[in-house]
Amino acid sequence: MWQETDNKLYRKFEFANFSEAFAFMTRVALEAEKMDHHPLWTNVWNKVEIWLSTHDAGDVVTEKDKKLAARIDKLLQ
């Protein structure tokens, strides 16, 4: 579940291993590129953390962030 804190949408994802985490990040990267909206994220082994905000709007959460978050959620289905 995405949480809105500090003017960002945040979610932590956990996978079985590094390969699954990296594959997920690749799918997210493709969606982000299509939207020209790129996340701040980290990856350590099987964990991926993502923060979304819109720089052009003053680093706050916008509909663009919510749309990307929804697309990211669909990748898990």
Side-chain angles (χ1 to χ4, degrees):
M1 170 89 37
W2 291 92
Q3 301 170 359
E4 188 169 340
T5 57
D6 298 324
N7 293 319
K8 292 175 179 55
L9 287 180
Y10 167 80
R11 185 163 177 192
K12 183 177 184 178
F13 302 86
E14 193 166 332
F15 300 91
N17 54 48
F18 177 75
S19 293
E20 286 186 18
F22 194 85
F24 170 73
M25 291 179 72
T26 301
R27 293 189 304 272
V28 171
L30 293 171
E31 289 299 321
E33 189 65 17
K34 287 179 197 174
M35 292 181 64
D36 192 29
H37 191 54
H38 306 96
L40 169 64
W41 57 8
T42 62
N43 165 239
V44 177
W45 190 58
N46 69 332
K47 294 176 182 65
V48 176
E49 293 181 83
I50 300 177
W51 295 264
L52 300 173
S53 65
T54 302
H55 178 72
D56 294 345
D59 292 318
V60 296
V61 175
T62 66
E63 284 303 311
K64 197 171 190 179
D65 302 298
K66 293 175 184 177
K67 185 175 180 181
L68 181 53
R71 287 187 181 192
I72 291 169
D73 287 344
K74 279 190 160 187
L75 296 173
L76 298 170
Q77 298 174 353

